[in-house]
C-alpha cells in the first residue's frame, strides 16, 4: 500500500493540480465539483479530470475506508437497517459487493452508495470513474469503495483478486462508512 499511496495516488494528485493550474475552467472548484462536472467539461479538460481527478478522489476516499483490523465497531444500527432493507442482510450485501468488485473487467472500483431515495446500491466503475460523475454509474453518494486495479493488490495477491476482495472486509473502517451515511 505504501507504493500505491506514494506513487500511484501522488501521480494523480500531481496531474490534476497541473491541469487545474493550466485551465481557468477548473480553477476554484473542489475535487468533488470537478468529478461531478467531468462529463460536461470540454474534451481537453474532461479526460484529465476523469483520470487524474477521479484517481485522486477515489484514492483519498479509499484510504479512509480502511482501518486496522478490529479497530471499528461494524455497521451502525442505522446502516445495518438500510443494508437489510436494500439487500436482505449484511452477508448478501457483501456477496453483491464482492461480485461487483470481482466482475469488474480490467481496472476499476466497487462502490456501496446511497441513492437519493435513501436506498443503498452497489455499483462498479471502470478506471478512475466514480459515482459522483454523471452518467457513469448508478447515481449515488459513495459510502464505501474498493480499488480493484491490479496495482492495489498485485504485490501481495498476484492474480488472486477474489482473495484480496474477501480480505478487504477485515479492514473496512465501519466508523467512516457510518459517518458517510450521515
Amino acid at each position: 500500500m505504501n507504493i500505491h499511496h506514494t506513487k500511484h495516488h501522488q501521480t494523480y494528485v500531481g496531474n490534476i493540480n497541473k491541469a487545474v493550474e493550466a485551465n481557468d475552467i477548473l480553477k476554484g472548484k473542489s475535487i468533488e465539483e470537478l468529478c461531478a462536472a467531468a462529463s460536461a467539461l470540454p474534451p481537453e479538460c474532461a479526460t484529465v479530470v476523469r483520470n487524474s481527478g477521479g484517481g485522486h478522489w477515489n484514492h483519498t476516499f479509499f484510504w479512509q475506508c480502511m482501518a486496522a483490523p478490529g479497530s471499528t465497531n461494524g455497521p451502525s444500527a442505522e446502516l445495518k437497517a438500510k443494508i437489510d432493507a436494500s439487500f436482505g442482510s449484511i452477508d448478501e450485501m457483501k456477496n453483491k459487493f464482492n461480485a461487483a468488485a470481482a466482475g469488474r473487467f480490467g481496472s476499476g472500483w466497487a462502490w456501496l452508495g446511497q441513492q437519493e431515495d435513501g436506498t443503498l446500491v452497489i455499483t462498479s466503475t471502470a478506471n478512475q470513474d466514480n459515482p459522483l460523475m454523471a452518467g457513469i454509474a448508478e447515481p449515488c453518494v459513495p459510502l464505501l469503495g474498493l480499488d480493484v486495479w491490479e496495482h492495489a493488490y498485485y504485490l501481495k495477491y498476484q492474480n488472486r483478486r477474489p482473495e484480496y476482495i474477501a480480505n478487504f472486509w477485515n479492514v473496512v473502517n465501519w466508523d467512516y462508512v457510518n459517518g458517510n451515511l450521515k
Side-chain angles (χ1 to χ4, degrees):
M1 287 295 172
N2 186 41
I3 292 169
H4 190 175
H5 185 267
T6 61
K7 302 295 182 193
H8 292 284
H9 186 182
Q10 189 57 46
T11 299
Y12 299 130
V13 171
N15 288 342
I16 192 62
N17 285 342
K18 282 186 223 171
V20 167
E21 281 301 311
N23 294 286
D24 288 339
I25 296 170
L26 306 179
K27 286 183 182 170
K29 290 184 173 46
S30 70
I31 194 66
E32 291 82 8
E33 290 170 324
L34 290 172
C35 286
S39 62
L41 293 171
E44 65 273 11
C45 297
T47 299
V48 72
V49 167
R50 284 183 68 193
N51 293 340
S52 294
H56 171 43
W57 189 89
N58 293 354
H59 283 88
T60 299
F61 188 84
F62 176 57
W63 305 130
Q64 296 174 87
C65 287
M66 295 181 289
S71 66
T72 66
N73 296 317
S76 65
E78 181 183 4
L79 179 57
K80 185 178 179 325
K82 285 188 172 281
I83 288 170
D84 290 347
S86 298
F87 305 106
S89 70
I90 289 175
D91 286 340
E92 189 56 30
M93 180 275 296
K94 288 180 179 180
N95 289 338
K96 289 180 186 298
F97 188 94
N98 293 358
R104 167 53 52 196
F105 181 78
S107 301
W109 295 79
W111 306 96
L112 169 65
Q114 182 172 234
Q115 297 176 307
E116 276 190 36
D117 67 2
T119 60
L120 301 184
V121 65
I122 291 171
T123 191
S124 177
T125 58
N127 301 315
Q128 295 301 353
D129 292 346
N130 62 53
L132 302 178
M133 298 174 176
I136 297 298
E138 293 262 1
C140 64
V141 174
L143 304 178
L144 176 68
L146 175 62
D147 186 346
V148 293
W149 281 66
E150 284 184 340
H151 69 243
Y153 61 87
Y154 208 81
L155 291 177
K156 182 170 183 170
Y157 295 96
Q158 291 84 42
N159 63 336
R160 300 183 317 271
R161 184 189 280 187
E163 185 180 345
Y164 161 74
I165 295 164
N167 284 323
F168 174 66
W169 296 107
N170 297 324
V171 297
V172 168
N173 182 352
W174 287 108
D175 296 338
Y176 180 70
V177 179
N178 294 330
N180 290 334
L181 182 67
K182 293 188 182 296

PDB file of all heavy atoms in Angstrom, residues 1-6 8-9 55-67 109 145 147 151 173 176:
ATOM      1  N   MET A   1       0.820  -1.201   0.000  1.00  0.00           N
ATOM      2  CA  MET A   1       0.000   0.000   0.000  1.00  0.00           C
ATOM      3  C   MET A   1       0.866   1.268   0.000  1.00  0.00           C
ATOM      4  O   MET A   1       0.423   2.303  -0.480  1.00  0.00           O
ATOM      5  CB  MET A   1      -0.957   0.012   1.192  1.00  0.00           C
ATOM      6  CG  MET A   1      -2.103  -0.962   1.057  1.00  0.00           C
ATOM      7  SD  MET A   1      -3.212  -0.523  -0.309  1.00  0.00           S
ATOM      8  CE  MET A   1      -4.256  -1.926  -0.341  1.00  0.00           C
ATOM      9  N   ASN A   2       2.087   1.166   0.526  1.00  0.00           N
ATOM     10  CA  ASN A   2       2.967   2.337   0.527  1.00  0.00           C
ATOM     11  C   ASN A   2       3.272   2.798  -0.906  1.00  0.00           C
ATOM     12  O   ASN A   2       3.172   3.992  -1.209  1.00  0.00           O
ATOM     13  CB  ASN A   2       4.267   2.029   1.288  1.00  0.00           C
ATOM     14  CG  ASN A   2       5.133   3.255   1.427  1.00  0.00           C
ATOM     15  OD1 ASN A   2       4.647   4.349   1.696  1.00  0.00           O
ATOM     16  ND2 ASN A   2       6.422   3.080   1.223  1.00  0.00           N
ATOM     17  N   ILE A   3       3.616   1.864  -1.784  1.00  0.00           N
ATOM     18  CA  ILE A   3       3.863   2.222  -3.189  1.00  0.00           C
ATOM     19  C   ILE A   3       2.580   2.764  -3.813  1.00  0.00           C
ATOM     20  O   ILE A   3       2.596   3.758  -4.539  1.00  0.00           O
ATOM     21  CB  ILE A   3       4.389   1.007  -3.975  1.00  0.00           C
ATOM     22  CG1 ILE A   3       5.792   0.637  -3.494  1.00  0.00           C
ATOM     23  CG2 ILE A   3       4.391   1.273  -5.477  1.00  0.00           C
ATOM     24  CD1 ILE A   3       6.287  -0.693  -4.021  1.00  0.00           C
ATOM     25  N   HIS A   4       1.486   2.114  -3.537  1.00  0.00           N
ATOM     26  CA  HIS A   4       0.180   2.522  -4.049  1.00  0.00           C
ATOM     27  C   HIS A   4      -0.090   3.986  -3.679  1.00  0.00           C
ATOM     28  O   HIS A   4      -0.499   4.796  -4.507  1.00  0.00           O
ATOM     29  CB  HIS A   4      -0.864   1.585  -3.452  1.00  0.00           C
ATOM     30  CG  HIS A   4      -2.234   1.679  -4.031  1.00  0.00           C
ATOM     31  ND1 HIS A   4      -3.220   0.826  -3.640  1.00  0.00           N
ATOM     32  CD2 HIS A   4      -2.804   2.489  -4.932  1.00  0.00           C
ATOM     33  CE1 HIS A   4      -4.337   1.110  -4.277  1.00  0.00           C
ATOM     34  NE2 HIS A   4      -4.098   2.134  -5.073  1.00  0.00           N
ATOM     35  N   HIS A   5       0.148   4.312  -2.427  1.00  0.00           N
ATOM     36  CA  HIS A   5      -0.126   5.668  -1.934  1.00  0.00           C
ATOM     37  C   HIS A   5       0.895   6.680  -2.441  1.00  0.00           C
ATOM     38  O   HIS A   5       0.534   7.745  -2.951  1.00  0.00           O
ATOM     39  CB  HIS A   5      -0.156   5.669  -0.402  1.00  0.00           C
ATOM     40  CG  HIS A   5      -0.554   6.982   0.184  1.00  0.00           C
ATOM     41  ND1 HIS A   5       0.367   7.933   0.548  1.00  0.00           N
ATOM     42  CD2 HIS A   5      -1.767   7.502   0.455  1.00  0.00           C
ATOM     43  CE1 HIS A   5      -0.259   8.981   1.030  1.00  0.00           C
ATOM     44  NE2 HIS A   5      -1.559   8.747   0.989  1.00  0.00           N
ATOM     45  N   THR A   6       2.175   6.373  -2.295  1.00  0.00           N
ATOM     46  CA  THR A   6       3.213   7.371  -2.593  1.00  0.00           C
ATOM     47  C   THR A   6       3.515   7.519  -4.071  1.00  0.00           C
ATOM     48  O   THR A   6       4.033   8.562  -4.475  1.00  0.00           O
ATOM     49  CB  THR A   6       4.522   7.047  -1.842  1.00  0.00           C
ATOM     50  OG1 THR A   6       4.993   5.766  -2.265  1.00  0.00           O
ATOM     51  CG2 THR A   6       4.320   7.068  -0.341  1.00  0.00           C
ATOM     52  N   HIS A   8       1.305   5.863  -7.063  1.00  0.00           N
ATOM     53  CA  HIS A   8       0.105   5.955  -7.901  1.00  0.00           C
ATOM     54  C   HIS A   8      -0.761   7.146  -7.515  1.00  0.00           C
ATOM     55  O   HIS A   8      -1.077   7.984  -8.359  1.00  0.00           O
ATOM     56  CB  HIS A   8      -0.716   4.656  -7.814  1.00  0.00           C
ATOM     57  CG  HIS A   8      -0.044   3.490  -8.433  1.00  0.00           C
ATOM     58  ND1 HIS A   8       0.037   3.297  -9.787  1.00  0.00           N
ATOM     59  CD2 HIS A   8       0.609   2.439  -7.877  1.00  0.00           C
ATOM     60  CE1 HIS A   8       0.695   2.189 -10.048  1.00  0.00           C
ATOM     61  NE2 HIS A   8       1.053   1.647  -8.899  1.00  0.00           N
ATOM     62  N   HIS A   9      -1.144   7.210  -6.245  1.00  0.00           N
ATOM     63  CA  HIS A   9      -2.022   8.298  -5.822  1.00  0.00           C
ATOM     64  C   HIS A   9      -1.327   9.649  -6.025  1.00  0.00           C
ATOM     65  O   HIS A   9      -1.948  10.601  -6.508  1.00  0.00           O
ATOM     66  CB  HIS A   9      -2.446   8.111  -4.364  1.00  0.00           C
ATOM     67  CG  HIS A   9      -3.463   9.119  -3.912  1.00  0.00           C
ATOM     68  ND1 HIS A   9      -3.939   9.140  -2.638  1.00  0.00           N
ATOM     69  CD2 HIS A   9      -4.090  10.142  -4.545  1.00  0.00           C
ATOM     70  CE1 HIS A   9      -4.821  10.129  -2.505  1.00  0.00           C
ATOM     71  NE2 HIS A   9      -4.915  10.747  -3.657  1.00  0.00           N
ATOM     72  N   GLY A  55      -8.977   9.682 -10.037  1.00  0.00           N
ATOM     73  CA  GLY A  55      -7.995   8.877  -9.316  1.00  0.00           C
ATOM     74  C   GLY A  55      -7.663   9.462  -7.960  1.00  0.00           C
ATOM     75  O   GLY A  55      -7.539   8.735  -6.969  1.00  0.00           O
ATOM     76  N   HIS A  56      -7.525  10.782  -7.916  1.00  0.00           N
ATOM     77  CA  HIS A  56      -7.238  11.440  -6.631  1.00  0.00           C
ATOM     78  C   HIS A  56      -8.415  11.282  -5.671  1.00  0.00           C
ATOM     79  O   HIS A  56      -8.245  10.862  -4.525  1.00  0.00           O
ATOM     80  CB  HIS A  56      -6.914  12.912  -6.859  1.00  0.00           C
ATOM     81  CG  HIS A  56      -6.815  13.716  -5.610  1.00  0.00           C
ATOM     82  ND1 HIS A  56      -6.175  13.275  -4.480  1.00  0.00           N
ATOM     83  CD2 HIS A  56      -7.291  14.951  -5.310  1.00  0.00           C
ATOM     84  CE1 HIS A  56      -6.255  14.207  -3.534  1.00  0.00           C
ATOM     85  NE2 HIS A  56      -6.935  15.222  -4.017  1.00  0.00           N
ATOM     86  N   TRP A  57      -9.638  11.597  -6.138  1.00  0.00           N
ATOM     87  CA  TRP A  57     -10.799  11.492  -5.245  1.00  0.00           C
ATOM     88  C   TRP A  57     -10.992  10.048  -4.782  1.00  0.00           C
ATOM     89  O   TRP A  57     -11.187   9.789  -3.589  1.00  0.00           O
ATOM     90  CB  TRP A  57     -12.081  12.001  -5.921  1.00  0.00           C
ATOM     91  CG  TRP A  57     -13.191  12.093  -4.930  1.00  0.00           C
ATOM     92  CD1 TRP A  57     -13.501  13.161  -4.140  1.00  0.00           C
ATOM     93  CD2 TRP A  57     -14.094  11.031  -4.543  1.00  0.00           C
ATOM     94  NE1 TRP A  57     -14.549  12.829  -3.289  1.00  0.00           N
ATOM     95  CE2 TRP A  57     -14.924  11.535  -3.514  1.00  0.00           C
ATOM     96  CE3 TRP A  57     -14.268   9.723  -4.953  1.00  0.00           C
ATOM     97  CZ2 TRP A  57     -15.919  10.775  -2.922  1.00  0.00           C
ATOM     98  CZ3 TRP A  57     -15.263   8.955  -4.347  1.00  0.00           C
ATOM     99  CH2 TRP A  57     -16.074   9.481  -3.344  1.00  0.00           C
ATOM    100  N   ASN A  58     -10.946   9.109  -5.723  1.00  0.00           N
ATOM    101  CA  ASN A  58     -11.180   7.703  -5.381  1.00  0.00           C
ATOM    102  C   ASN A  58     -10.189   7.210  -4.334  1.00  0.00           C
ATOM    103  O   ASN A  58     -10.568   6.541  -3.371  1.00  0.00           O
ATOM    104  CB  ASN A  58     -11.074   6.823  -6.627  1.00  0.00           C
ATOM    105  CG  ASN A  58     -12.174   7.078  -7.627  1.00  0.00           C
ATOM    106  OD1 ASN A  58     -13.107   7.837  -7.392  1.00  0.00           O
ATOM    107  ND2 ASN A  58     -12.064   6.447  -8.769  1.00  0.00           N
ATOM    108  N   HIS A  59      -8.916   7.524  -4.539  1.00  0.00           N
ATOM    109  CA  HIS A  59      -7.906   7.036  -3.600  1.00  0.00           C
ATOM    110  C   HIS A  59      -8.015   7.719  -2.238  1.00  0.00           C
ATOM    111  O   HIS A  59      -7.861   7.061  -1.211  1.00  0.00           O
ATOM    112  CB  HIS A  59      -6.503   7.192  -4.195  1.00  0.00           C
ATOM    113  CG  HIS A  59      -6.201   6.145  -5.203  1.00  0.00           C
ATOM    114  ND1 HIS A  59      -6.523   6.295  -6.532  1.00  0.00           N
ATOM    115  CD2 HIS A  59      -5.644   4.917  -5.085  1.00  0.00           C
ATOM    116  CE1 HIS A  59      -6.167   5.210  -7.186  1.00  0.00           C
ATOM    117  NE2 HIS A  59      -5.630   4.343  -6.323  1.00  0.00           N
ATOM    118  N   THR A  60      -8.277   9.009  -2.225  1.00  0.00           N
ATOM    119  CA  THR A  60      -8.459   9.701  -0.947  1.00  0.00           C
ATOM    120  C   THR A  60      -9.595   9.048  -0.166  1.00  0.00           C
ATOM    121  O   THR A  60      -9.492   8.814   1.038  1.00  0.00           O
ATOM    122  CB  THR A  60      -8.743  11.202  -1.179  1.00  0.00           C
ATOM    123  OG1 THR A  60      -7.620  11.772  -1.855  1.00  0.00           O
ATOM    124  CG2 THR A  60      -8.991  11.936   0.116  1.00  0.00           C
ATOM    125  N   PHE A  61     -10.673   8.729  -0.862  1.00  0.00           N
ATOM    126  CA  PHE A  61     -11.816   8.055  -0.254  1.00  0.00           C
ATOM    127  C   PHE A  61     -11.422   6.649   0.214  1.00  0.00           C
ATOM    128  O   PHE A  61     -11.723   6.247   1.347  1.00  0.00           O
ATOM    129  CB  PHE A  61     -12.957   7.997  -1.278  1.00  0.00           C
ATOM    130  CG  PHE A  61     -14.256   7.492  -0.733  1.00  0.00           C
ATOM    131  CD1 PHE A  61     -15.132   8.342  -0.073  1.00  0.00           C
ATOM    132  CD2 PHE A  61     -14.631   6.160  -0.900  1.00  0.00           C
ATOM    133  CE1 PHE A  61     -16.344   7.880   0.425  1.00  0.00           C
ATOM    134  CE2 PHE A  61     -15.835   5.690  -0.404  1.00  0.00           C
ATOM    135  CZ  PHE A  61     -16.693   6.551   0.258  1.00  0.00           C
ATOM    136  N   PHE A  62     -10.734   5.916  -0.635  1.00  0.00           N
ATOM    137  CA  PHE A  62     -10.331   4.532  -0.361  1.00  0.00           C
ATOM    138  C   PHE A  62      -9.484   4.421   0.896  1.00  0.00           C
ATOM    139  O   PHE A  62      -9.719   3.546   1.736  1.00  0.00           O
ATOM    140  CB  PHE A  62      -9.565   4.000  -1.577  1.00  0.00           C
ATOM    141  CG  PHE A  62      -8.993   2.620  -1.451  1.00  0.00           C
ATOM    142  CD1 PHE A  62      -9.789   1.522  -1.147  1.00  0.00           C
ATOM    143  CD2 PHE A  62      -7.644   2.407  -1.691  1.00  0.00           C
ATOM    144  CE1 PHE A  62      -9.246   0.241  -1.072  1.00  0.00           C
ATOM    145  CE2 PHE A  62      -7.094   1.132  -1.628  1.00  0.00           C
ATOM    146  CZ  PHE A  62      -7.897   0.057  -1.311  1.00  0.00           C
ATOM    147  N   TRP A  63      -8.510   5.316   1.068  1.00  0.00           N
ATOM    148  CA  TRP A  63      -7.647   5.231   2.262  1.00  0.00           C
ATOM    149  C   TRP A  63      -8.474   5.350   3.535  1.00  0.00           C
ATOM    150  O   TRP A  63      -8.188   4.699   4.530  1.00  0.00           O
ATOM    151  CB  TRP A  63      -6.558   6.305   2.255  1.00  0.00           C
ATOM    152  CG  TRP A  63      -5.698   6.318   1.034  1.00  0.00           C
ATOM    153  CD1 TRP A  63      -5.391   7.416   0.263  1.00  0.00           C
ATOM    154  CD2 TRP A  63      -5.011   5.220   0.414  1.00  0.00           C
ATOM    155  NE1 TRP A  63      -4.576   7.045  -0.782  1.00  0.00           N
ATOM    156  CE2 TRP A  63      -4.326   5.704  -0.713  1.00  0.00           C
ATOM    157  CE3 TRP A  63      -4.927   3.858   0.703  1.00  0.00           C
ATOM    158  CZ2 TRP A  63      -3.561   4.891  -1.540  1.00  0.00           C
ATOM    159  CZ3 TRP A  63      -4.167   3.046  -0.136  1.00  0.00           C
ATOM    160  CH2 TRP A  63      -3.503   3.560  -1.226  1.00  0.00           C
ATOM    161  N   GLN A  64      -9.492   6.179   3.492  1.00  0.00           N
ATOM    162  CA  GLN A  64     -10.322   6.386   4.675  1.00  0.00           C
ATOM    163  C   GLN A  64     -11.276   5.213   4.928  1.00  0.00           C
ATOM    164  O   GLN A  64     -11.784   5.057   6.041  1.00  0.00           O
ATOM    165  CB  GLN A  64     -11.111   7.691   4.537  1.00  0.00           C
ATOM    166  CG  GLN A  64     -10.182   8.893   4.490  1.00  0.00           C
ATOM    167  CD  GLN A  64     -10.942  10.164   4.220  1.00  0.00           C
ATOM    168  OE1 GLN A  64     -11.429  10.774   5.170  1.00  0.00           O
ATOM    169  NE2 GLN A  64     -11.075  10.539   2.964  1.00  0.00           N
ATOM    170  N   CYS A  65     -11.509   4.411   3.903  1.00  0.00           N
ATOM    171  CA  CYS A  65     -12.394   3.248   4.034  1.00  0.00           C
ATOM    172  C   CYS A  65     -11.727   2.101   4.773  1.00  0.00           C
ATOM    173  O   CYS A  65     -12.373   1.092   5.057  1.00  0.00           O
ATOM    174  CB  CYS A  65     -12.839   2.763   2.652  1.00  0.00           C
ATOM    175  SG  CYS A  65     -14.038   3.829   1.844  1.00  0.00           S
ATOM    176  N   MET A  66     -10.441   2.240   5.096  1.00  0.00           N
ATOM    177  CA  MET A  66      -9.709   1.153   5.749  1.00  0.00           C
ATOM    178  C   MET A  66      -9.190   1.578   7.117  1.00  0.00           C
ATOM    179  O   MET A  66      -8.866   2.744   7.329  1.00  0.00           O
ATOM    180  CB  MET A  66      -8.537   0.713   4.873  1.00  0.00           C
ATOM    181  CG  MET A  66      -8.966   0.100   3.570  1.00  0.00           C
ATOM    182  SD  MET A  66      -7.572  -0.431   2.558  1.00  0.00           S
ATOM    183  CE  MET A  66      -6.897   1.143   2.047  1.00  0.00           C
ATOM    184  N   ALA A  67      -9.127   0.612   8.006  1.00  0.00           N
ATOM    185  CA  ALA A  67      -8.597   0.810   9.354  1.00  0.00           C
ATOM    186  C   ALA A  67      -7.937  -0.496   9.787  1.00  0.00           C
ATOM    187  O   ALA A  67      -8.097  -1.527   9.132  1.00  0.00           O
ATOM    188  CB  ALA A  67      -9.725   1.175  10.323  1.00  0.00           C
ATOM    189  N   TRP A 109     -13.318   0.061  -9.828  1.00  0.00           N
ATOM    190  CA  TRP A 109     -13.730   0.227  -8.440  1.00  0.00           C
ATOM    191  C   TRP A 109     -15.072  -0.447  -8.197  1.00  0.00           C
ATOM    192  O   TRP A 109     -15.902  -0.539  -9.109  1.00  0.00           O
ATOM    193  CB  TRP A 109     -13.871   1.721  -8.120  1.00  0.00           C
ATOM    194  CG  TRP A 109     -12.569   2.436  -8.197  1.00  0.00           C
ATOM    195  CD1 TRP A 109     -11.923   2.864  -9.338  1.00  0.00           C
ATOM    196  CD2 TRP A 109     -11.728   2.770  -7.113  1.00  0.00           C
ATOM    197  NE1 TRP A 109     -10.732   3.444  -9.002  1.00  0.00           N
ATOM    198  CE2 TRP A 109     -10.582   3.404  -7.633  1.00  0.00           C
ATOM    199  CE3 TRP A 109     -11.832   2.599  -5.742  1.00  0.00           C
ATOM    200  CZ2 TRP A 109      -9.553   3.867  -6.845  1.00  0.00           C
ATOM    201  CZ3 TRP A 109     -10.799   3.066  -4.939  1.00  0.00           C
ATOM    202  CH2 TRP A 109      -9.681   3.690  -5.485  1.00  0.00           C
ATOM    203  N   GLY A 145     -15.794   2.270  -0.805  1.00  0.00           N
ATOM    204  CA  GLY A 145     -15.224   1.990  -2.118  1.00  0.00           C
ATOM    205  C   GLY A 145     -14.020   1.077  -2.015  1.00  0.00           C
ATOM    206  O   GLY A 145     -13.275   1.123  -1.030  1.00  0.00           O
ATOM    207  N   ASP A 147     -10.740  -0.312  -4.417  1.00  0.00           N
ATOM    208  CA  ASP A 147      -9.902  -0.235  -5.604  1.00  0.00           C
ATOM    209  C   ASP A 147      -9.622  -1.647  -6.097  1.00  0.00           C
ATOM    210  O   ASP A 147      -9.066  -2.455  -5.364  1.00  0.00           O
ATOM    211  CB  ASP A 147      -8.589   0.476  -5.225  1.00  0.00           C
ATOM    212  CG  ASP A 147      -7.672   0.765  -6.396  1.00  0.00           C
ATOM    213  OD1 ASP A 147      -7.884   0.204  -7.492  1.00  0.00           O
ATOM    214  OD2 ASP A 147      -6.728   1.536  -6.198  1.00  0.00           O
ATOM    215  N   HIS A 151      -2.745  -2.707  -9.419  1.00  0.00           N
ATOM    216  CA  HIS A 151      -1.712  -2.104  -8.562  1.00  0.00           C
ATOM    217  C   HIS A 151      -2.128  -2.091  -7.093  1.00  0.00           C
ATOM    218  O   HIS A 151      -1.279  -1.968  -6.217  1.00  0.00           O
ATOM    219  CB  HIS A 151      -1.339  -0.682  -9.038  1.00  0.00           C
ATOM    220  CG  HIS A 151      -2.393   0.351  -8.852  1.00  0.00           C
ATOM    221  ND1 HIS A 151      -2.972   1.020  -9.901  1.00  0.00           N
ATOM    222  CD2 HIS A 151      -2.964   0.865  -7.733  1.00  0.00           C
ATOM    223  CE1 HIS A 151      -3.863   1.892  -9.441  1.00  0.00           C
ATOM    224  NE2 HIS A 151      -3.866   1.815  -8.128  1.00  0.00           N
ATOM    225  N   ASN A 173     -13.256   0.275   7.491  1.00  0.00           N
ATOM    226  CA  ASN A 173     -13.417   1.268   8.553  1.00  0.00           C
ATOM    227  C   ASN A 173     -14.906   1.614   8.653  1.00  0.00           C
ATOM    228  O   ASN A 173     -15.377   2.577   8.051  1.00  0.00           O
ATOM    229  CB  ASN A 173     -12.581   2.513   8.239  1.00  0.00           C
ATOM    230  CG  ASN A 173     -12.655   3.559   9.312  1.00  0.00           C
ATOM    231  OD1 ASN A 173     -13.439   3.460  10.254  1.00  0.00           O
ATOM    232  ND2 ASN A 173     -11.839   4.591   9.172  1.00  0.00           N
ATOM    233  N   TYR A 176     -16.013   5.148   9.460  1.00  0.00           N
ATOM    234  CA  TYR A 176     -16.013   6.060   8.318  1.00  0.00           C
ATOM    235  C   TYR A 176     -17.264   5.843   7.455  1.00  0.00           C
ATOM    236  O   TYR A 176     -17.928   6.806   7.067  1.00  0.00           O
ATOM    237  CB  TYR A 176     -14.736   5.870   7.494  1.00  0.00           C
ATOM    238  CG  TYR A 176     -14.650   6.765   6.294  1.00  0.00           C
ATOM    239  CD1 TYR A 176     -14.459   8.137   6.437  1.00  0.00           C
ATOM    240  CD2 TYR A 176     -14.752   6.242   5.007  1.00  0.00           C
ATOM    241  CE1 TYR A 176     -14.367   8.957   5.318  1.00  0.00           C
ATOM    242  CE2 TYR A 176     -14.655   7.064   3.890  1.00  0.00           C
ATOM    243  CZ  TYR A 176     -14.478   8.431   4.064  1.00  0.00           C
ATOM    244  OH  TYR A 176     -14.390   9.247   2.964  1.00  0.00           O
TER     245      TYR A 176
END
